[in-house]
Amino acid sequence: MTAQRSENPTEPRDSDGAASDGGCCRPLTVALVDSHELIRLGLGRLLDPHPSRIRLVDPAAERDGTRPDLLLLDPFTGPQPDLGSLARLARSGDDGRVVVFTSATEERARNLVTQHGLAGWVSKEHDGPGMVAAFEAVHARTRAGATPAESPAEAHGLTGREMEIVALIASGMTNLEIAQQLFLSINSVKSYIRSAYRKMSVTSRSQAVLWGVTHGLGSVSS
């Protein structure tokens, strides 16, 4: 979701360079459900530099007529998923807006999303810009009618092999290292990369790394 840029050079802008108000599109609104205050404060700090794209609101905000776009819930606070809050949201008809927001493994999060028809999942391990992009991707997918089990990468049409290679690119591996890791020829790796780049609408490796990280396909190694 991209805010319209203002021609007024004195207008306040967020860290992405977008005008903080006056744009044509309202920011995405997200609300934490049944979360500890420390998590709320931490998430708020990550999202605050991007006011034209996203805002953290109170879950009860819709009492004032402003319905949050996404409800963030971490059911993995113990050995087994805590489904109490999820059941309550389902009864209220809000489960279609629920995002599993957690540090749990992708497999656990996606299984819960699939089983309960939730909007999607986002890892707490993202940095601020990556988290904003991940929330935007989940919201865009739900508005486009993609299935809840579908990852943002799958929604862009990437095959399993292409996602695997993009994840390795995002982790910092070279084409040769990827070829050795997957037992492919270097030409095959390059062919998969060209195909993935077209679907991702990127033209450089640095853009592919950023795309992969923000769409949950790995992280740049330190």
Side-chain angles (χ1 to χ4, degrees):
M1 181 181 300
T2 303
Q4 183 179 19
R5 292 181 180 270
S6 169
E7 297 302 323
N8 181 356
T10 65
E11 187 173 15
R13 296 177 181 275
D14 65 14
S15 63
D16 302 313
S20 61
D21 57 17
C24 66
C25 304
R26 70 172 181 81
L28 178 69
T29 54
V30 298
L32 278 168
V33 178
D34 297 342
S35 185
H36 192 280
E37 180 73 1
L38 183 63
I39 302 298
R40 187 188 68 78
L41 292 174
L43 179 60
R45 185 156 192 147
L46 288 173
L47 302 185
D48 280 349
H50 312 280
S52 68
R53 295 173 61 188
I54 195 166
R55 285 194 306 115
L56 181 63
V57 300
D58 191 287
E62 54 192 309
R63 294 175 186 168
D64 303 323
T66 54
R67 179 181 171 92
D69 296 305
L70 298 175
L71 301 175
L72 315 182
L73 175 67
D74 186 356
F76 297 107
T77 54
Q80 297 297 324
D82 177 7
L83 302 181
S85 296
L86 181 55
R88 174 171 56 80
L89 292 169
R91 287 195 299 271
S92 66
D94 282 330
D95 52 322
R97 290 188 289 153
V98 175
V99 174
V100 175
F101 180 54
T102 184
S103 296
T105 65
E106 177 179 355
E107 181 179 4
R108 295 189 76 198
R110 291 193 66 185
N111 283 345
L112 196 67
V113 168
T114 302
Q115 291 167 9
H116 296 274
L118 308 181
W121 75 280
V122 170
S123 172
K124 291 180 180 177
E125 306 303 317
H126 287 300
D127 60 9
M131 198 166 286
V132 174
F135 286 135
E136 289 175 337
V138 170
H139 186 241
R141 189 181 72 247
T142 58
R143 293 186 67 184
T147 61
E150 200 173 33
S151 71
E154 289 167 332
H156 281 77
L158 269 67
T159 66
R161 179 65 85 182
E162 288 167 350
M163 284 190 285
E164 187 175 22
I165 289 176
V166 172
L168 294 177
I169 289 174
S171 72
M173 293 180 67
T174 66
N175 288 358
L176 180 58
E177 290 170 334
I178 293 171
Q180 293 170 342
Q181 171 90 5
L182 301 180
F183 300 100
L184 296 172
S185 70
I186 191 69
N187 287 335
S188 293
V189 170
K190 290 179 179 178
S191 177
Y192 282 120
I193 290 174
R194 285 193 297 268
S195 176
Y197 279 18
R198 284 194 301 270
K199 295 174 182 178
M200 294 153 55
S201 298
V202 304
T203 57
S204 69
R205 200 173 192 88
S206 61
Q207 291 176 350
V209 169
L210 179 60
W211 195 100
V213 170
T214 58
H215 287 78
L217 294 179
S219 59
V220 181
S221 56
S222 56

